[in-house]
Amino acid sequence: MSGLHRCIVMAPMHNEQSNVEAFVRRLAGTAADGWELVVVDDGSSDETVDRLTECAAKVNSEQLAIRLVTLSRNFGHQRAIIAGLEVALRRAEETEIDRIAVIDADLQDRPEHLQELLDACASVDVAYAVRASRGESLLFRITAGAFYRVLAHWARSPVPANAGTFSVMNTRAAEAILNNVDENVFFPGLRSWIGFNQTAVPLDRDGRADGNSRVGLKGLIRLAVGALFGYSKLPLRLMVLISAGSLLLSLIAVITMTVLKLAGLVAVEGIALVVVLLFFNLSVLAIFLTILAYMVGRNPSPVQARGLYVIGSERCLN
Ligand code: UDP
Ligand code: MG
C-alpha cells in the first residue's frame, strides 16, 4: 500500500535556516503525488522564511504543495504544533486528505519514515514513533528516559514512553486534539489522552542536523514540569505523602515532649511545644498552598482566557 496514502505534513520551524532546504528536499523525495506541506514559522528571526520560499519554488506543487503559516511571534514548539494542526485540519477538509503528519524540521525525525507511519496508521487513528535509538547525548538520554518512566508510571492516562511529536493521525484524532487543548500544551500527552486506536512504531531518531536545540534546556524543563502537573498524579501524591509525614512527625514530637514533661525527665517549656506545633503545621500548610497555587495557576481562569497563539499570515509557496 506504500505511496498511495495522501498526507498533509505539518512541520514547525523556529530559526531553521540551515535545515530547511535539506528538510524540504528529503520530504519531496519521499512524498507521493498530492501531498501538502504546512510549515509553521514560529517567529523565526533568521532567514528560515526566505530559504523556504526559495526552495519551495523548485518543488513540483502537484507532488508536494507547500504552504507557509507564520505566527505573529515566537510561541514555542508545542503551541506551534497546535497552530499547525489547526491549519492542517482545515486543509485536510479542503483537499479531502485524511492523514495529517507532525514532524520536527531539524531532521531528527526522518522524513523517509513517514511512509512507515502512514502504513501503520491505515487501520488505526494514530500511529506515533517511539524512539528506537536516540541520536542525543548520553546525559539527555538518561534524563529523558527517567522523565518518561516517571510520567508513564504516574500519568492519569497512559503517556507512552519515548514517544515524541513524530506521528500520523486521521482527521478525527486531529479534531479531538484541537478540541481539548489547554494552556499547558504537551502534544505527546494530549495525543495519547484522546484515546481511539493508536499504535506505536519503533523508529530510529537522528541527532539534530544543524544547530542547537531551539527548545533548549529551559524549555525542556518547563515542558517536563508542565507534563508532570498536567498528566500525572505525582504532585498530588507527593502533597499527601509530605503533609502526612509532616503531621506524623509533629505528632511524635508532641507526644514525646508531653511524656518527657509528665515524667519530669526534661523541663520542656510550654513555648517549645507551641513552636514545634506551629512549625510542623505551617510546613504542611505551606506545602499545600504551594502546590495548590501551582495547580490553580496552570488552569486559565475564564476571565484571563486567551488564545494560545496568533496566526499572522498564510500563503501558498509553489
Ligand atoms: N521549534 C518551534 N518553536 C520553538 C522551538 C522549536 O517551532 O520555539 C521547532 C524547531 O524548529 C523544530 C522543532 O520545533 O522543528 C523541535 O525543536 P527542537 O529541535 O529545538 O527541539 P528538541 O528536539 O531539542 O526537543
Ligand atoms: Mg530537535
Side-chain angles (χ1 to χ4, degrees):
M1 286 294 282
S2 278
L4 294 181
H5 314 283
R6 288 167 75 212
C7 180
I8 296 192
V9 180
M10 195 285 290
M13 293 191 189
H14 177 67
N15 294 345
E16 298 289 2
Q17 62 176 17
S18 51
N19 295 319
V20 62
E21 234 178 300
F23 174 75
V24 171
R25 185 171 19 86
R26 281 176 60 178
L27 182 63
T30 194
D33 279 353
W35 280 35
E36 181 160 318
L37 167 64
V38 173
V39 169
V40 175
D41 175 54
D42 184 20
S44 293
S45 52
D46 68 354
E47 289 176 6
T48 300
V49 170
D50 297 339
R51 298 275 164 88
L52 177 69
T53 312
E54 276 163 33
C55 64
K58 296 179 208 144
V59 174
N60 175 3
S61 62
E62 298 281 307
Q63 184 215 358
L64 182 67
I66 302 179
R67 181 170 285 264
L68 170 68
V69 178
T70 56
L71 300 189
S72 61
R73 62 170 173 87
N74 177 244
F75 283 93
H77 185 199
Q78 302 295 316
R79 291 180 182 208
I81 290 175
I82 300 300
L85 263 191
E86 182 191 311
V87 175
L89 182 62
R90 200 199 68 230
R91 287 300 296 155
E93 279 153 10
E94 288 166 2
T95 55
E96 293 184 352
I97 296 177
D98 188 44
R99 292 287 184 275
I100 296 172
V102 183
I103 184 170
D104 283 353
D106 61 349
L107 295 170
Q108 283 200 264
D109 307 321
R110 298 178 196 164
E112 296 77 16
H113 281 151
L114 278 167
Q115 287 294 351
E116 217 164 311
L117 283 178
L118 278 165
D119 286 344
C121 193
S123 52
V124 293
D125 297 278
V126 178
Y128 57 88
V130 286
R131 292 147 192 185
S133 74
R134 277 176 170 272
E136 289 114 350
S137 71
L138 183 67
L139 183 69
F140 184 89
R141 290 205 308 268
I142 291 173
T143 41
F147 166 69
Y148 276 114
R149 263 196 299 279
V150 169
L151 199 59
H153 186 74
W154 292 96
R156 289 199 184 95
S157 70
V159 178
N162 289 325
T165 50
F166 196 22
S167 49
V168 171
M169 67 192 75
N170 59 17
T171 47
R172 79 164 178 173
E175 218 173 296
I177 289 175
L178 288 170
N179 286 337
N180 289 288
V181 239
D182 53 12
E183 210 204 14
N184 169 31
V185 193
F186 176 55
F187 176 67
L190 187 55
R191 189 186 55 210
S192 135
W193 179 89
I194 60 160
F196 294 133
N197 296 317
Q198 309 212 2
T199 188
V201 182
L203 293 173
D204 287 337
R205 189 167 153 91
D206 295 321
R208 186 171 237 289
D210 190 69
N212 299 322
S213 168
R214 304 301 185 242
V215 171
L217 186 64
K218 249 164 75 183
L220 266 185
I221 292 173
R222 208 176 301 134
L223 188 68
V225 172
L228 281 178
F229 274 85
Y231 288 89
S232 88
K233 292 181 223 146
L234 187 61
L236 278 174
R237 294 270 166 94
L238 275 182
M239 178 169 97
V240 171
L241 218 77
I242 295 173
S243 43
S246 242
L247 269 175
L248 197 73
L249 274 180
S250 66
L251 222 80
I252 292 171
V254 170
I255 291 170
T256 317
M257 284 170 123
T258 316
V259 169
L260 287 178
K261 187 169 172 88
L262 287 181
L265 292 174
V266 184
V268 183
E269 296 295 329
I271 191 77
L273 196 69
V274 173
V275 167
V276 167
L277 270 175
L278 257 181
F279 176 78
F280 283 109
N281 286 314
L282 279 179
S283 65
V284 172
L285 266 180
I287 293 157
F288 248 82
L289 281 178
T290 318
I291 294 178
L292 268 181
Y294 196 82
M295 297 185 94
V296 171
R298 297 198 77 83
N299 293 320
S301 85
V303 185
Q304 291 181 322
R306 277 186 298 253
L308 294 184
Y309 47 82
V310 176
I311 292 178
S313 69
E314 184 183 335
R315 64 195 151 103
C316 227
L317 295 184
N318 63 351

